[in-house]
Amino acid sequence: MVNKTQIRIALRNCGLINPERIEEYISEKGYMALGKVLTEMSQEEAVNIIIDSGLRGRGGAGFPTGIKWDYARKSVSDQKYVVCNADEGDPGAFMDRSILEGDPHSVLEAMAICGYCIGADKGLVYIRAEYPLAIERLNIAITQAREFGLLGDDIMGSGFSFDIEIRYGAGAFVCGEETALIHSMEGERGEPSLKPPFPAESGYLGKPTNVNNVETLANIPVIYLKGADWFSGIGTEKSKGTKVFALAGKVNNVGLIEVPMGTTLREVIYEIGGGIREGKKFKAVQTGGPSGGCLTEKHLDTPIDYDNLIANGSMMGSGGMIVMDEDNCMVSIAKFYLDFTVEESCGKCAPCRIGNKRLNELLGRICEGKGTEADLDRLRNLGEVIKDTSLCGLGQSSPNPVLSTLDNFYDEYISHVRDKKCPSGVCKDLMEYFIIEENCVGCTACARACPVGAITGERKEPHLINPEICIMCGACMEKCKFDAVILK
Amino acid sequence: MSSVKIELRKDQIEKIHSFCDTFNNAHGELINVLHKTQGEFGYLPAEVQEVIADKIDMPVAKVYGVVTFYSFFTMTPKGQHPISICTGTACYVRGAENVLAEFKKQLDIEVGETSEDGKFSLSCLRCVGACGLAPVVQVGEKTYGRIAPDDVEEILKEYL
């Protein structure tokens, strides 16, 4: 997917170098940034470069990375830790996997730089067990870096020592939240805890810990090589650099893209993505995964950055971007995300544990045609309460898919509750099987296939489905060779 | 967790002990121990959890709490060929639900169950990071992309 609107910073080496050979990374100026930091800069100077670059966390919330490092640097302790958050749990996003598989050394180098900046000699990568290849490549990379003296004691004769270990996740979305991740690394249930204290003061084993996402780290070495000004020259006023998006769903070109902050959704979907598949009509684009929202036609020309997405009821999240067309029902999509949240809520705080379950039940009723207009108000009220009162980022953002679809696709909700119809033809309970008289030749295949005898009609005469008896199994539709049975 | 259903053999217990020793019997390494143990046994029944708890000197309730918290760990044995349907967003919008329904129909089992002959078990997972291939199905280590309900029968045939 080569396109002039793309700039590769985080993905600069992915697909171009052999990730299992450290020599190839080094030939692309690998570990030069580490050398520069270790030999030419004080901790404070090195941190200031990241602050000046304007880099913000790519994992979701968009907290300024340099400020985070500075907090950890200023914490006083005999032991500090650098943690790489590779628990990429957002369904539909796979940039972290690609970076770890395609350019693992960029992450290791960045962790070592961070270690120097904050005064840590130990790094941990917390990675999902679902990513076996990424784990393998990371292990190879760590071994090679140690052999080359780029990890371990007295790196490049600077007196600075740093080593990295891998910790495995075990399939819990909430572990992407940094306090939950830290608890999981300690062998506990991955439940978040109240902040403050922030990990920068008290994190892994109670020591100051700096947690950064994979993509954030992949940006670090280049910033030192090309300078903070170069990096802050790309992007918008408050969101600098580029963002990797995982473009998926109903677009012609799917895959990872990396564009400067401030690129519009239209450019991403139509120029890079090549438009909607099969010439269908664009309906919505979902950004930010289960924490984000659905944006619509009217947002297509909005420049993508952290603040614009939040202002429009969605969020950057880790960069999942799922395009939907006219065949997707937005109420079902909201329910899909709520199913996810309900399953992944850790259960520690009541608003998230109980509130999301109730939200999901309300959506379920609406999809079954049992919802009322009052339910729509309930959805909104409850959603806002959950946002305001949940303990961690998961609960605080979990109602976003519901609230944003209520905002942008209210008509569709109304169709479900008032007319008991699903305009996209997705909610099965709101549809009926129907035989088109003109197409039906009276072959009786459908009537014989029907397990409940809901179809009547004489041989060679058009048949009829009795919706009162029909159990919506779809057997008639499968059997019909004349496209006479439809769902509507 | 009191009713003992499985008699662990002595060598099995020793194996679990050796995993705990590898990680210095440290409480902080519990998840790593569980990964290793599940890799060996395929699942983590109550009896196995008791052995681990005993060895690393931790209440069984705590081990159980961790096992049940993470979706990667299971207390029921999986089939010989575990089938995982990706129900991440990209797969969902491209029709993973229909693929899942077809697997359920063909195997006559629900998600989380194992077929009677022990050959197949069915589970859903959230995103394997192969969204470009959506919808995605994994059978054991093998990944199948762009699956339609019509392909299900063919896939199952490979393992019969």
Side-chain angles (χ1 to χ4, degrees), chain A residues 97 169-171 184 188-189 249 337, chain B residues 28 35 65 70-72 89 93-94 129:
Chain A
R97 178 178 69 87
S184 181
E188 307 267 339
R189 289 164 68 95
Y337 281 110
Chain B
H35 270 299
Y70 295 97
S71 61
F72 200 84
T89 323
V93 301
R94 286 223 186 156

Side-chain angles (χ1 to χ4, degrees), chain A residues 56 58 60-62 235-243 245 259-265 287 295 302-312 314-317 321:
Chain A
R56 293 169 67 173
R58 300 293 194 240
T236 63
E237 195 196 335
K238 286 185 176 159
S239 303
K240 302 300 185 190
T242 57
K243 178 78 192 85
F245 291 102
V259 290
M261 297 279 188
T263 306
T264 65
L265 285 168
T287 68
L295 300 172
T302 309
I304 309 167
D305 69 8
Y306 290 102
D307 310 290
N308 277 339
L309 286 177
I310 287 176
N312 287 305
S314 186
M315 70 185 284
M316 184 74 82
M321 195 177 266

Side-chain angles (χ1 to χ4, degrees), chain B residues 4-21:
Chain B
V4 176
K5 288 181 204 143
I6 300 163
E7 252 344 299
L8 288 170
R9 293 191 311 270
K10 199 163 165 258
D11 64 303
Q12 288 177 316
I13 294 174
E14 275 166 11
K15 193 111 205 180
I16 300 172
H17 283 176
S18 77
F19 292 149
C20 296
D21 286 333

Side-chain angles (χ1 to χ4, degrees), chain A residues 89-161:
Chain A
D90 174 0
F94 52 99
M95 55 286 293
D96 294 351
R97 178 178 69 87
S98 298
I99 292 169
L100 290 169
E101 286 178 4
D103 193 16
H105 286 287
S106 68
V107 176
L108 302 183
E109 182 180 6
M111 287 177 74
I113 293 172
C114 178
Y116 173 77
C117 287
I118 70 168
D121 63 3
K122 195 150 186 209
L124 297 139
V125 181
Y126 182 86
I127 185 165
R128 308 176 71 190
E130 287 91 336
Y131 285 175
L133 182 63
I135 292 171
E136 189 189 319
R137 297 229 165 117
L138 257 181
N139 272 317
I140 294 171
I142 291 172
T143 310
Q144 291 179 345
R146 280 185 194 139
E147 281 166 13
F148 276 65
L150 298 166
L151 284 179
D153 290 334
D154 191 20
I155 298 170
M156 301 182 194
S158 64
F160 168 69
S161 301

